[in-house]
Amino acid sequence: AIRNFVELLQHAGGTYFVWASHDDVWPHNYISTLVDLLEERPDAVLATPFTRHVNADGSPSRHRNDHPAPGTSRFDNIRVFLRDDACTWIYGVFRTAWLCEHAPRLVNYPTWRGDLTWLFEMLLRFPVVGTDRAVIYKKVTDGSYRPRTERDRMAGWRRVFRDLTQVCLQHERGWRRLVALRFAWYYCYRKYIRRGNPLGTGIRMVKVLGMWSYFRWKHGPLVEKAAVPTVALDATTAAQNDPADYSRAA
């Protein structure tokens, strides 16, 4: 799916670009509002929306809505992004030239939570803005790439932790590195370790350490260091690998 996103982008020729899922719902002024925001902020590379999550029948979901990037500072953007787990920002409006240069990095990350790492890296390096006047409605679904077993979940979160840490170490120095690492590590702790009370959190930490030790002994490293190509597939290859995903992206 990620390589199909990148392949689709290679056919873009306009000043601005937006990825659109087949089940997204936008008001009539969604695109124009975000484009106007980028026109007002020529330094910004992405304009983000306010995301309302809905169920399959269109009713409001209990899932937390994603607020737009405040645009006041890069760390303010990261704080809101990780607080809301706002991966839906990837469906905002980008500057096409910038996106064509940086989107191929998406294929270096896994399909599950790879968009989060890519967006986190972008927020560390580039100005991003947002407005709650642009609203997008996203259906909450049980993603086909979501880890299904405890071992897969642990491997997935270990990969997220590793990738976010590497991004912080690569792009920040001094006190800014410490702040970035705090955001990244606390996000992983909050999403995977923390429970509703200190006792539950302590039990969870013991269980995670025990499972990690067991899986490490039984199966070896939880995250394989396999080489991943940094170029997108061409259209024919992408369609052959997953015709359904390619048709949806196209």
Side-chain angles (χ1 to χ4, degrees), residues 6-250:
V6 176
E7 161 63 26
L8 185 66
L9 176 63
Q10 293 176 353
H11 299 282
T15 304
Y16 301 104
F17 182 90
V18 59
W19 279 302
S21 293
H22 71 283
D23 54 354
D24 290 346
V25 176
W26 303 336
H28 70 280
N29 64 340
Y30 175 76
I31 298 293
S32 60
T33 299
L34 293 177
V35 168
D36 289 344
L37 189 57
L38 287 178
E39 293 287 343
E40 295 170 7
R41 287 285 305 272
D43 61 321
V45 301
L46 166 65
T48 61
F50 182 90
T51 305
R52 293 191 181 277
H53 294 282
V54 297
N55 298 315
D57 60 359
S59 61
S61 170
R62 298 176 63 183
H63 193 282
R64 182 173 186 158
N65 294 322
D66 299 342
H67 293 78
T72 49
S73 74
R74 294 178 189 179
F75 282 139
D76 284 344
N77 287 344
I78 289 174
R79 175 180 55 80
V80 174
F81 172 67
L82 294 181
R83 181 198 68 193
D84 293 350
D85 207 7
C87 292
T88 56
W89 284 6
I90 204 170
Y91 295 101
V93 174
F94 292 87
R95 297 189 189 277
T96 306
W98 179 92
L99 191 59
C100 286
E101 180 181 354
H102 294 89
R105 289 182 61 84
L106 271 167
V107 302
N108 294 331
Y109 300 121
T111 302
W112 185 75
R113 297 281 172 173
D115 51 352
L116 178 131
T117 305
W118 182 78
L119 285 167
F120 180 82
E121 181 178 17
M122 178 182 67
L123 293 169
L124 277 180
R125 301 176 59 197
F126 302 97
V128 173
V129 293
T131 176
D132 56 9
R133 293 181 289 109
V135 181
I136 185 173
Y137 296 85
K138 298 284 296 184
K139 288 185 179 179
V140 176
T141 60
D142 187 17
S144 58
Y145 297 102
R146 185 185 301 273
R148 303 297 177 182
T149 67
E150 188 58 41
R151 179 176 183 271
D152 289 342
R153 281 190 290 272
M154 182 177 293
W157 278 109
R158 186 172 184 270
R159 176 67 188 268
V160 172
F161 178 84
R162 189 191 74 180
D163 288 345
L164 291 179
T165 299
Q166 288 179 343
V167 167
C168 294
L169 297 178
Q170 179 181 0
H171 296 296
E172 295 294 356
R173 297 290 184 272
W175 68 268
R176 294 180 61 88
R177 173 182 286 181
L178 296 178
V179 174
L181 287 171
R182 174 188 172 275
F183 276 117
W185 291 351
Y186 181 73
Y187 169 79
C188 294
Y189 163 78
R190 177 172 59 87
K191 296 292 291 184
Y192 186 60
I193 300 292
R194 191 179 71 178
R195 293 299 180 263
N197 56 76
L199 178 60
T201 299
I203 293 174
R204 176 65 174 171
M205 291 181 67
V206 172
K207 288 176 64 177
V208 168
L209 288 173
M211 287 186 297
W212 180 84
S213 300
Y214 171 76
F215 288 132
R216 177 86 181 190
W217 168 75
K218 187 76 172 178
H219 303 285
L222 292 179
V223 178
E224 299 295 336
K225 295 183 178 180
V228 179
T230 57
V231 296
L233 296 177
D234 59 46
T236 303
T237 306
Q240 290 173 346
N241 283 352
D242 195 337
D245 272 344
Y246 183 76
S247 63
R248 285 197 296 271

